[in-house]
Amino acid sequence: MKPTLYTAAPLAMMLILSGCMVGPDMQAPETPLPTKFSEGGKVTDGDVTAAAWWNAFSDPRLNHLITEGMSKNLTVLQALEAIEQARQGVDIAGAGSLPSITGSASENLSKSNGVNATAQRSTTNGGLSAAWILDLFGQYRRAKESANATLDASYAGADVARLTVISNVATYYVNARYYQQLLAIARENLKSRRDTLALTQAQLDAGAASRLNVVQADGLVNSTLSTIPGLETNFRQQVNHLSTLLGVPAPTLLADMQRSGPQPVARDRIKAGIPADLLRNRPDVRKAERQLAAAVANIGVAKAKLYPSIQLSGSVSVLHLASSPLTGNGASWSFGPSLQLPIFDGGALQANVKSSEAAARAAYLAWKASVLQAVEDTENALVAYNRDRATVSALRASVKNYQEALNLSMTNYKNGASSLLDVLDAQRSVDTAQQSLAAAIRQSALDYIALNVAVGGGYAVGQDKAGE
């Protein structure tokens, strides 16, 4: 039957209304930011997410471990699965506004014997039913908008996981090399103190030294020996941390790491850019912004439920009956709209709207907090790293001075011009200065790592950002 003006007009109005969407549209969130960091410049660094800043350590082993971590870390792999879940969530959300078609079929055989015996009867049924909920006020479009924002947040979450892995691998590697350096210092000092003990024992045998001198020298040897087991424990614990991050057995990595290497020293002066760069480069800030977008879209979903909904539904059914003496076919169809109008629900729908609005406000505050935290992280790391070079330089000079003092005191002790106490004091000073220098080098490396992580650098290395 050809539609008349009276039947076509309501359908046209439905289609017009289906273009409406209630609820607020997402606007880019804003918060006041300084034009520069307290010890930074006013020039943007642009996109630093693909900058492999760890290359500044010139350590191929560290480069390999970071590459392995980004591809094999279990937290990163879980984050990638979360992306797949969110991607399916987009399809699920979008399916609500599409027509649904369901098919059915059945075959039934029946026969009865006895007084009321009947012939065998075969009944075949088949049908199709279709339904389409008109998205008059954008409930399903807002739901899909929220799902897409959640998908974006999942991508950012994977970037957070990658950046965290890079930070942790680099940190544990630096710590492992630090403890190896302390072990090397302890073993070198142990050799020096054993030489001093042997010299003192020889002087005692020659009558040129007292038993007290020997006991003091031996005590310093044992004191040095006592530090070595703890340092070895600390080294192995850092390697175990690395093994967990990489998802490999600890003995495998331990054998490689026991081939000692120098402490990592960053040969680079990093530029922190400007605070506004963090909005683009920090994955946790982007994740919070996308979570805000999802929360804003959910307000539209909640508001759309306050309005009427219309469903167009129809069905076609075909019947075939085969029996003796009756055989025949039949068909039926139906079509029509149905209207659902919320009248009284005890305030649940309005409460749902208010709850969604509160969730959006909380998401904005979470985004703002992530921005402030990003600025603080960068400021703290920048201040620390800018002062590390001066500390390391002064301690290198200190080690050189105390080493010279030790050599002079040892020469004087051999010549009888100074006491053993002078030598032992000089050895302690050298030991302390060497440990302080190793700690300063480690701290400089850790601050360099923290600064690059704070500005959001490196997590997109080897990633196809366009595909996200």
Side-chain angles (χ1 to χ4, degrees):
M1 181 181 69
K2 183 178 180 180
T4 67
L5 176 62
Y6 298 102
T7 59
L11 291 175
M13 183 58 67
M14 292 175 190
L15 294 175
I16 292 173
L17 289 174
S18 66
C20 300
M21 284 201 299
V22 297
D25 292 326
M26 174 64 181
Q27 302 293 328
E30 296 181 355
T31 189
L33 286 174
T35 57
K36 62 183 290 294
F37 295 110
S38 60
E39 296 190 4
K42 295 183 178 181
V43 180
T44 177
D45 268 356
D47 187 352
V48 299
T49 61
W53 49 263
W54 49 89
N55 288 335
F57 288 118
S58 300
D59 192 324
R61 192 168 294 161
L62 173 59
N63 296 346
H64 173 72
L65 292 177
I66 288 178
T67 301
E68 290 289 295
M70 291 180 69
S71 62
K72 296 181 179 179
N73 178 260
L74 297 181
T75 302
V76 171
L77 295 178
Q78 289 178 57
L80 295 179
E81 292 300 329
I83 291 176
E84 182 60 27
Q85 284 182 299
R87 185 180 291 117
Q88 300 308 317
V90 173
D91 293 340
I92 293 170
S97 61
L98 299 176
S100 63
I101 300 176
T102 305
S104 63
S106 66
E107 174 75 20
N108 183 49
L109 296 175
S110 64
K111 181 180 180 181
S112 63
N113 298 318
V115 177
N116 298 317
T118 61
Q120 179 173 300
R121 173 181 294 181
S122 172
T123 305
T124 303
N125 279 299
L128 287 176
S129 61
W132 180 24
I133 299 176
L134 297 181
D135 196 13
L136 299 180
F137 301 99
Q139 175 181 344
Y140 295 103
R141 281 168 288 163
R142 289 297 191 192
K144 188 171 183 179
E145 186 180 307
S146 176
N148 275 313
T150 300
L151 175 60
D152 292 339
S154 297
Y155 277 114
D159 291 338
V160 171
R162 293 187 186 102
L163 187 59
T164 301
V165 167
I166 293 170
S167 174
N168 288 340
V169 169
T171 296
Y172 291 135
Y173 184 84
V174 166
N175 287 339
R177 292 307 187 204
Y178 164 68
Y179 288 117
Q180 278 187 317
Q181 180 65 17
L182 291 186
L183 280 168
I185 292 171
R187 287 163 181 156
E188 181 182 348
N189 290 334
L190 179 62
K191 180 179 181 302
S192 173
R193 289 167 183 177
R194 278 174 170 166
D195 290 343
T196 302
L197 174 60
L199 175 61
T200 305
Q201 183 64 52
Q203 289 182 334
L204 174 64
D205 295 340
S210 66
R211 177 63 184 167
L212 175 61
N213 295 142
V214 173
V215 171
Q216 288 174 326
D218 193 28
L220 201 54
V221 169
N222 289 323
S223 177
T224 305
L225 278 171
S226 69
T227 65
I228 292 177
L231 295 175
E232 290 176 338
T233 297
N234 290 336
F235 166 72
R236 285 175 175 256
Q237 287 175 342
Q238 300 305 309
V239 175
N240 291 341
H241 288 316
L242 281 172
S243 300
T244 300
L245 287 172
L246 273 59
V248 299
T252 302
L253 186 58
L254 180 63
D256 180 63
M257 288 293 294
Q258 281 179 328
R259 296 195 292 271
S260 62
Q263 280 190 271
V265 177
R267 297 166 177 83
D268 188 19
R269 281 190 174 275
I270 188 173
K271 296 179 181 178
I274 58 176
D277 292 337
L278 300 175
L279 302 182
R280 173 182 60 250
N281 293 330
R282 283 272 295 225
D284 56 329
V285 174
R286 289 193 294 105
K287 179 180 179 180
E289 190 271 339
R290 291 288 82 201
Q291 288 174 332
L292 170 59
V296 170
N298 285 335
I299 296 175
V301 174
K303 285 189 173 182
K305 292 179 180 179
L306 298 173
Y307 297 92
S309 63
I310 296 178
Q311 176 174 298
L312 301 179
S313 59
S315 64
V316 177
S317 178
V318 178
L319 171 67
H320 175 70
L321 177 64
S323 66
S324 180
L326 298 176
T327 299
N329 297 316
S332 63
W333 63 270
S334 66
F335 172 79
S338 62
L339 173 68
Q340 287 188 335
L341 176 64
I343 297 176
F344 179 75
D345 60 7
L349 293 178
Q350 284 288 355
N352 190 35
V353 172
K354 292 180 180 179
S355 176
S356 299
E357 291 172 341
R361 291 193 296 271
Y364 167 73
L365 295 174
W367 172 82
K368 187 174 181 179
S370 70
V371 173
L372 293 176
Q373 187 62 56
V375 173
E376 179 188 348
D377 292 345
T378 306
E379 289 278 18
N380 290 340
L382 189 60
V383 167
Y385 185 66
N386 284 342
R387 286 156 177 75
D388 287 335
R389 290 176 181 270
T391 302
V392 171
S393 178
L395 286 172
R396 288 190 190 279
S398 177
V399 169
K400 183 178 179 181
N401 292 336
Y402 282 123
Q403 189 64 57
E404 183 178 358
L406 175 58
N407 293 337
L408 291 173
S409 63
M410 182 62 74
T411 300
N412 290 337
Y413 179 59
K414 290 179 180 178
N415 296 331
S418 64
S419 67
L420 175 64
L421 185 60
D422 295 330
V423 175
L424 298 182
D425 286 342
Q427 287 178 333
R428 291 191 190 96
S429 297
V430 169
D431 189 14
T432 300
Q434 288 175 331
Q435 291 180 20
S436 297
L437 175 59
I441 292 173
R442 175 180 73 157
Q443 191 59 52
S444 178
L446 294 179
D447 289 337
Y448 178 79
I449 294 168
L451 183 52
N452 280 281
V453 171
V455 300
Y459 62 82
V461 171
Q463 304 299 320
D464 181 12
K465 295 184 70 178
E468 296 182 3

